[in-house]
Amino acid sequence: MSAQTAPSDGSPQPAARTTPLVEVHRELGGTLVDFAGYLMPLRYGSETAEHHAVRASAGIFDISHMGEIFVTGSQAPQALDHALVGLPSGLDPGRARYTMIVTPDGGVIDDLIVYRLSGHGFLVVANAANAAVVAAELTERAAGFDAVVSDESDKYALIAVQGPKAQEIVQRLTQTDLPALKYYALVSGVVAGHQAFIGRTGYTGEDGFELFVAAEDAEPVWRALTEAGGADLTPCGLSARDTLRLEAGMPLYGHELTRDTTPYDAGLGRVVRLEKPDFVGREALAAIAEAGPAHRLVGLVARGRRVPRAGYTVIGDDGEPCGTVTSGAPSPTLGRPVAMASVRVDARPAAVDIRGKHEEVDVVDLPFYHREHRPAGGADQVSAHQNKRTNK
């Protein structure tokens, strides 16, 4: 079964797609919602409890809505160097890199993780809503290279196990030497008797793994993981995933990143490799790098309890609007509302307009949370790093 909603003109929308784990989510009592065209679990019970489980032990997520796009051929490295802002050709086999694909004027089409599988083989992981667009763009940009782009998203399921106990749990089901697997690395292995790509990557701010398995293997692998994890492994939905990535200062496409923003606007200019002689968007990005972006991404911590939500206006210390909140939520780890916001580079944010009232905020360094600075004194304790006011 799948969800179907009616748009404002009264005509039916296409039914939301399901992942290979949809029946598992129903068994677990998950609240299913249409997200990026997929029926996905928002939560199973308490989203706050799910969030804390990942910070304290481990959580398991279905992220099979993400796109898996393979690029192969003798000139696949050069094709990706041309198509993306990064330098995939510089990756060693088994390593991964965060990068982006941009428009000719530098706007972000999507942020990606690129894994090098072999000398000439790559796996590009795209966000669900953008997978088809990314595959089409890569195909067009690879024309003229000896490279083949293949969108194999429907053939794969993707399961994430994240948290301090993630390694211990996954290791029970594989002979792969997980302690030897570096961060942002990938290895082919067997998990619970099923072939998998095991990546030491994630979107929570915790250590963990993302397991690429055949769609038909998703359910037995999930069940084996939950049995191996027992009380230490909690099924988690989209709500917990969002608050976890927000605390970790990780951007979300459609919020911190859009076609109207560049990597430099989001404070991610470090992923742009301008030393490459040519790639799509290079001229525009080089000009922005030289002149400086018009906006910057900042972290905000509310002094009160009202939450600065996405779309709310940020107010400068001169009392005038200076930007917009891109993501905001109560932080279960810090015990107070936090937000990321895009503001003018010359602005000094002081408040957020929340339904007509200016609620005071502090500007802090991102990320709000880092596992090396895990609070030890309860939810209201914020480390000196997390609460450092920048006000720049």
Side-chain angles (χ1 to χ4, degrees):
M1 294 180 65
S2 57
Q4 188 173 29
T5 56
S8 57
D9 64 4
S11 60
Q13 284 184 337
R17 302 169 67 184
T18 57
T19 78
L21 291 165
V22 64
E23 293 304 325
V24 172
H25 303 320
R26 288 182 173 130
E27 285 179 21
L28 293 171
T31 300
L32 299 178
V33 298
D34 185 339
F35 177 79
Y38 284 81
L39 201 60
M40 298 293 293
L42 185 65
R43 66 180 71 85
Y44 299 92
S46 163
E47 58 201 57
T48 301
E50 292 169 19
H51 179 111
H52 284 309
V54 175
R55 293 282 184 249
S57 55
I60 183 170
F61 301 80
D62 176 15
I63 51 174
S64 303
H65 58 312
M66 303 292 283
E68 289 84 21
I69 303 163
F70 289 81
V71 183
T72 57
S74 65
Q75 292 185 311
Q78 292 86 347
L80 285 173
D81 281 355
H82 170 69
L84 309 178
V85 303
L87 193 65
S89 65
L91 283 171
D92 292 329
R95 298 311 304 265
R97 185 165 292 158
Y98 176 79
T99 187
M100 299 181 190
I101 183 169
V102 302
T103 63
D105 64 1
V108 179
I109 296 173
D110 201 13
D111 60 334
L112 314 164
I113 295 181
V114 177
Y115 301 86
R116 190 162 194 166
L117 304 178
S118 64
H120 301 302
F122 294 83
L123 168 59
V124 178
V125 178
N127 287 296
N130 298 328
V133 172
V134 170
E137 285 287 344
L138 288 177
T139 300
E140 180 178 339
R141 296 178 187 192
F145 294 89
D146 178 20
V148 176
V149 177
S150 176
D151 184 352
E152 300 186 18
S153 303
D154 290 341
K155 298 180 182 179
Y156 283 86
L158 186 52
I159 299 170
V161 182
Q162 302 281 300
K165 296 186 179 181
Q167 179 176 287
E168 174 187 341
I169 292 168
V170 179
Q171 188 68 80
R172 294 170 185 162
L173 299 175
T174 183
Q175 296 299 310
T176 300
D177 184 2
L178 296 183
L181 188 64
K182 296 179 180 179
Y183 186 53
Y184 262 64
L186 182 84
V187 66
S188 179
V190 175
V191 178
H194 300 276
Q195 194 65 38
F197 287 124
I198 306 170
R200 195 164 207 144
T201 45
Y203 194 54
T204 63
E206 297 294 341
D207 187 21
F209 302 88
E210 294 181 327
L211 309 176
F212 299 82
V213 299
E216 60 269 23
D217 295 337
E219 188 170 326
V221 170
W222 176 286
R223 294 188 188 281
L225 286 164
T226 55
E227 182 177 353
D232 289 331
L233 186 64
T234 300
C236 300
L238 293 172
S239 289
R241 183 170 163 85
D242 190 51
T243 51
L244 289 160
R245 70 90 194 170
L246 174 58
E247 288 183 352
M250 295 178 169
L252 175 64
Y253 193 84
H255 290 252
E256 286 71 42
L257 300 171
T258 71
R259 286 181 180 244
D260 294 324
T261 61
T262 72
Y264 293 101
D265 295 320
L268 293 168
R270 64 184 180 277
V271 308
V272 181
R273 301 296 292 269
L274 290 176
E275 69 270 27
K276 293 191 298 180
D278 177 58
F279 64 89
V280 178
R282 185 189 185 284
E283 184 176 350
L285 291 176
I288 294 169
E290 182 176 357
H295 296 84
R296 61 191 176 104
L297 192 68
V298 300
L300 304 176
V301 175
R303 294 186 180 180
R305 292 295 176 181
R306 302 185 74 189
V307 181
R309 300 287 185 181
Y312 288 6
T313 299
V314 180
I315 306 298
D317 60 0
D318 59 359
E320 297 297 322
C322 66
T324 304
V325 173
T326 55
S327 296
S331 165
T333 304
L334 305 186
R336 63 189 71 182
V338 299
M340 288 192 283
S342 175
V343 301
R344 294 195 320 270
V345 293
D346 61 341
R348 296 171 59 89
V352 173
D353 187 329
I354 301 180
R355 298 186 181 89
K357 183 178 180 181
H358 290 186
E359 299 286 349
E360 292 185 337
V361 296
D362 290 319
V363 181
V364 302
D365 292 335
L366 291 171
F368 300 104
Y369 166 86
H370 194 288
R371 61 179 180 266
E372 293 179 357
H373 302 96
R374 193 185 306 274
D380 288 331
Q381 178 179 330
V382 183
S383 73
H385 169 77
Q386 292 156 346
N387 200 32
K388 179 182 176 183
R389 297 186 190 181
T390 59
N391 288 323
K392 305 182 208 177

